[in-house]
Amino acid sequence: MNLDFFFYPNSVAIVGASTVPGKVGYELVKNIVEAGFGGDIFPVNPKGGSILGLKVYSSVKSIPSTPDLAVIVTPAETVPGIVGECGSIGVKGVVVISGGFSEVGNRGLEEELVSHARKYGVRVIGPNSAGIINTSINFHACMEFRVPRGPVSLISQSGAVGGILFALAREGGVGFSKFVSCGNSCDVSEVDVLEYLLGDDETGSIALYLEAIRNGRRFIDVCRRFRGVKPIVAFKAGKSISGGRAAASHTGALASPYHIYSSLFRQFGILEAPGLSGLFSSSKFLGLGFRARGPRTIIVTNSGGPGVVATDLCESFGLIVSEPSENLKSRLRGFLPQICSLRNPIDLTATGGYDWYYGVLREVAISGEYDLALVICVPPSFTNPMEVAKAISDFHNLNMGMPIIPCFMYGDIVRECVKYLEGRGIPCTFTLEDAAYVAYSITRFGGGFFGSPIR
Amino acid sequence: MNLDFFFYPNSVAIVGASTVPGKVGYELVKNIVEAGFGGDIFPVNPKGGSILGLKVYSSVKSIPSTPDLAVIVTPAETVPGIVGECGSIGVKGVVVISGGFSEVGNRGLEEELVSHARKYGVRVIGPNSAGIINTSINFHACMEFRVPRGPVSLISQSGAVGGILFALAREGGVGFSKFVSCGNSCDVSEVDVLEYLLGDDETGSIALYLEAIRNGRRFIDVCRRFRGVKPIVAFKAGKSISGGRAAASHTGALASPYHIYSSLFRQFGILEAPGLSGLFSSSKFLGLGFRARGPRTIIVTNSGGPGVVATDLCESFGLIVSEPSENLKSRLRGFLPQICSLRNPIDLTATGGYDWYYGVLREVAISGEYDLALVICVPPSFTNPMEVAKAISDFHNLNMGMPIIPCFMYGDIVRECVKYLEGRGIPCTFTLEDAAYVAYSITRFGGGFFGSPIR
């Protein structure tokens, strides 16, 4: 299904636009304007007036040219009529942000909405959606805070999961290409969006937050046809009994037993993330093309404890954290003092700076003994972690075919390093759990476990 | 063992102090001075001079009055002699930050260090320690960045783990009472510190980062004698085969099989954290006295997806996330619109503000149907999350016996809310995983699973 009019509209109407800051109908217009959308923006409200310098039209029909897309935030009972009105003037797609449909038991109203849409052939995202984003045209028709650009596209059955992942992206700088909050998926489904994004050149990887898939057969069909085309990382919520009930109250869908999803994911080479943060981290690295040709992992660190924890985590994901050869050790001993442990993790101790990090990475890459490097920096108060960031960046630029997963911890002290690296296309992780999961992910997709990449 | 001279010194010498910013020996003095330590500070370096306005003494022996404590950062080979010198003038304790001992195979040098200490009865923390902290007297003799005060005391076989947890504490505001980085534990062991802190009134809970316990018999003895005295949360690293090797390279100790630790923890009512972030979050809530009398959990959220994920996580920890009674639902329906789901999670939708959060928490507490509340806030761009923070704080002040675990996500948008709450003694969690683990922790220690608290 071609969803271009959703992602690349030339013009958009916001029905239910408001002049009152703090109201959804105001903040939505503000988000679209401030993100820098280049097309026409038509706020619609019977009261008229103007919002942020834009003329407010009293109805959809009074807009001078037909918008490609309408975003609707009016009360639930008014939505079917407005959708019909949009269809009648030739609007191609509507995004219904309003809630109060099947997710609270109002199935009749949702059916009415769908029948109005079908009558005119207008396609619907939502209702109960948080909106839609395409950063490549600065289009942010969404209730969530803004997000930096990047290679990841997110399909989510929760708007707030988008909000959480966007905030993680703002911590670093590498972010998203496209985002759809599917809401109740009364018409356009997550599978429709998945199929579209699998063919989207701007999307490097797809992150999928799922509670329940309504049309399993079509999901399987799309997964089979597009298998291995690009990385998909999924997080399935509603795994438990109460979680399933909660999911039903959220988007009105019934969740199948979790193990069915889990085996589908495995069968079609879809990675399953252990949590929301892993979902984003993994998509970020995969989306930027990071791949490891094998599971042999070197851990380079300035701190012993985090090195030990990372080793445990890597082994739990099936990665191999073995000792360097005597030859490699003696090359490393050429410039590292006795105080540094070389048994993998390579522990540069708290004094490890640019030269040691860079030197170790380069020697390890030359040796060919490892397929990827996990680089940890927990700066004590007397060091400058930017040295470590620069060593990573300079090594990365050598293009030696050994991907690096930086893990800078934590928060205030290392924020600048993370921004520096992500600004140069080198994504970072913020926890050891994420770093290990990313290592696993890029090995799965690089063919590291099976001899050939995930297909 | 009385370790008061380590935690409450009247005076401290820094041997190996440096006048060069960026050097360990400079930054350590700076940390002690800037933290506001009220006792005498004696930098020691043969070159003399002054550091930050403090006179530098040429040797330990030339210090005019005997310091209670000496912190040593000189090269490894000089340390045994300096320890002997400290002992000969009556210093009671030394913290050896210098590395290069058993962790890199230099067992002989470490034995020499111990024998010099034993000769004079001076007690040793380290070597290979990151230092020691007692926030109640503003004593920060540590390489890690500073940390806010709080109820948690951390015993760690890794200095950097301290650094990571301190950074987490700075994100919120609730932090630590005491910290010891044990390093190689050549004399004072983690078990000695554990025993001391179990009797320390300023310590509300103990966080334990362990790679290997050298004297298992004594550990078991202390755990048995002090069982249930105060919450202990442990994280064990070096669980895997390579992780065990890494641990040996880190502090020179051999790790026993993980399952031995795991069963000891269970036997003595020590919680085992799933990760470093959970280690801190759990200790923070337990240290401030948060307890739940049972596992019945209500989840209040403004976002459906995170509510579903939290439900899954809570169930995975054995908590009960069941629907409210019809009676409670009808009371909630009295002020919540149809759009809000009441089936637990209570989903207030994106528009949920002060009144709804506060009202729901109050009604739920009155009903007596739940033992604790997990409160999620993922603010979309049109809401003010401070309203949610204030609702939580006001409900907390009602003292209705239902503990709240706030989970604000994420980062830049909610930082102010987290600071607001933690500033009022209400700790926060930053991930759903941590929130669920904290719920489990305060239920374990509140007696929620067994009818009587952990003993």
Side-chain angles (χ1 to χ4, degrees), chain A residues 421-438:
Chain A
L421 284 171
E422 296 219 341
R424 281 156 183 77
I426 305 162
C428 292
T429 57
F430 311 135
T431 66
L432 296 165
E433 286 83 356
D434 274 11
Y437 182 65
V438 167

Side-chain angles (χ1 to χ4, degrees), chain A residues 217-266:
Chain A
R217 211 171 285 274
R218 220 172 96 58
F219 178 68
I220 289 169
D221 175 57
V222 168
C223 289
R224 183 174 286 132
R225 279 195 293 128
F226 290 89
R227 184 174 183 142
V229 164
K230 63 182 72 167
I232 304 174
V233 188
F235 180 81
K236 168 70 176 78
K239 295 170 184 167
S240 63
I241 292 171
S242 301
R245 186 195 65 231
S249 304
H250 180 212
T251 61
L254 276 177
S256 305
Y258 167 56
H259 68 88
I260 295 180
Y261 287 89
S262 202
S263 40
L264 279 182
F265 294 154
R266 259 200 310 279

Side-chain angles (χ1 to χ4, degrees), chain A residues 22 27 31 143 160 170 238-240 242 245 249-250 303 305 312 315 321 341 343-344 381-382 412-413 415, chain B residues 22 27 31 143 160 170 209 238-240 242 245 249-250 303 305 312 315 321 341 343-344 381-382 412-413:
Chain A
E27 300 295 334
N31 274 344
M143 305 192 324
R170 287 193 301 272
K239 295 170 184 167
S240 63
S242 301
R245 186 195 65 231
S249 304
H250 180 212
S303 48
D312 282 344
E315 272 209 8
V321 189
S341 171
R343 298 178 67 196
N344 194 13
S381 60
F382 60 87
D412 48 357
I413 303 299
R415 204 155 275 144
Chain B
E27 300 295 333
N31 274 344
M143 304 191 326
R170 285 194 302 272
Y209 169 85
K239 295 170 184 169
S240 64
S242 302
R245 185 196 64 231
S249 304
H250 179 212
S303 49
D312 283 344
E315 272 209 9
V321 190
S341 171
R343 297 178 68 197
N344 195 12
S381 60
F382 60 87
D412 49 356
I413 304 299

Side-chain angles (χ1 to χ4, degrees), chain A residues 22-24 27-28 31 98-100 103-104 106 142-145 157-158 160-161 163-164 167-168 170-171 209 211 235-250 274-277 302-309 311-313 315-316 320-323 338-341 343-345 347 350-351 378-383 409-413 415 430 432-433, chain B residues 22-24 27-28 31 98-100 103-104 106 142-145 157-158 160-161 163-164 167-168 170-171 209 211 235-250 274-277 302-309 311-313 315-316 320-323 338-341 343-345 347 350-351 378-383 409-413 415 430 432-433:
Chain A
K23 293 266 185 193
V24 185
E27 300 295 334
L28 191 67
N31 274 344
S98 322
E103 84 279 10
V104 291
N106 281 348
C142 183
M143 305 192 324
E144 304 302 331
F145 284 92
Q157 291 179 338
S158 157
V161 164
I164 293 170
L168 280 166
R170 287 193 301 272
E171 297 285 305
Y209 170 84
E211 292 176 2
F235 180 81
K236 168 70 176 78
K239 295 170 184 167
S240 63
I241 292 171
S242 301
R245 186 195 65 231
S249 304
H250 180 212
L276 297 178
S277 158
N302 66 349
S303 48
V308 177
V309 177
T311 304
D312 282 344
L313 289 164
E315 272 209 8
S316 78
I320 299 168
V321 189
S322 55
E323 287 200 50
Q338 196 59 31
I339 200 175
C340 299
S341 171
R343 298 178 67 196
N344 194 13
D347 185 351
T351 48
V378 185
S381 60
F382 60 87
T383 63
M409 290 175 295
Y410 185 93
D412 48 357
I413 303 299
R415 204 155 275 144
F430 311 135
L432 296 165
E433 286 83 356
Chain B
K23 293 264 186 194
V24 187
E27 300 295 333
L28 190 68
N31 274 344
S98 322
E103 84 280 9
V104 290
N106 281 349
C142 183
M143 304 191 326
E144 305 301 331
F145 284 92
Q157 290 180 338
S158 156
V161 164
I164 293 170
L168 279 166
R170 285 194 302 272
E171 297 283 305
Y209 169 85
E211 292 176 1
F235 180 82
K236 167 71 174 78
K239 295 170 184 169
S240 64
I241 293 172
S242 302
R245 185 196 64 231
S249 304
H250 179 212
L276 298 178
S277 158
N302 66 351
S303 49
V308 177
V309 176
T311 305
D312 283 344
L313 290 163
E315 272 209 9
S316 78
I320 300 169
V321 190
S322 55
E323 286 199 51
Q338 196 59 32
I339 202 175
C340 299
S341 171
R343 297 178 68 197
N344 195 12
D347 186 350
T351 49
V378 186
S381 60
F382 60 87
T383 63
M409 291 176 293
Y410 184 93
D412 49 356
I413 304 299
R415 205 154 274 145
F430 310 134
L432 296 165
E433 287 82 357

Side-chain angles (χ1 to χ4, degrees), chain B residues 210-213 236 255-265:
Chain B
L210 290 176
E211 292 176 1
I213 287 177
K236 167 71 174 78
S256 304
Y258 167 56
H259 68 88
I260 295 181
Y261 287 90
S262 203
S263 40
L264 279 183
F265 294 155

Side-chain angles (χ1 to χ4, degrees), chain A residues 269-341:
Chain A
I270 295 173
L271 279 184
E272 199 182 341
L276 297 178
S277 158
L279 175 65
F280 176 58
S281 295
S282 173
S283 310
K284 185 166 71 166
F285 279 79
L286 290 168
L288 285 175
F290 281 65
R291 302 288 185 275
R293 62 181 177 249
R296 298 172 306 165
T297 305
I298 190 95
I299 298 173
V300 187
T301 182
N302 66 349
S303 48
V308 177
V309 177
T311 304
D312 282 344
L313 289 164
C314 284
E315 272 209 8
S316 78
F317 282 116
L319 298 160
I320 299 168
V321 189
S322 55
E323 287 200 50
S325 68
E326 288 308 316
N327 184 40
L328 175 54
K329 278 194 215 170
S330 77
R331 293 183 68 93
L332 296 175
R333 195 55 81 201
F335 60 97
L336 293 177
Q338 196 59 31
I339 200 175
C340 299
S341 171

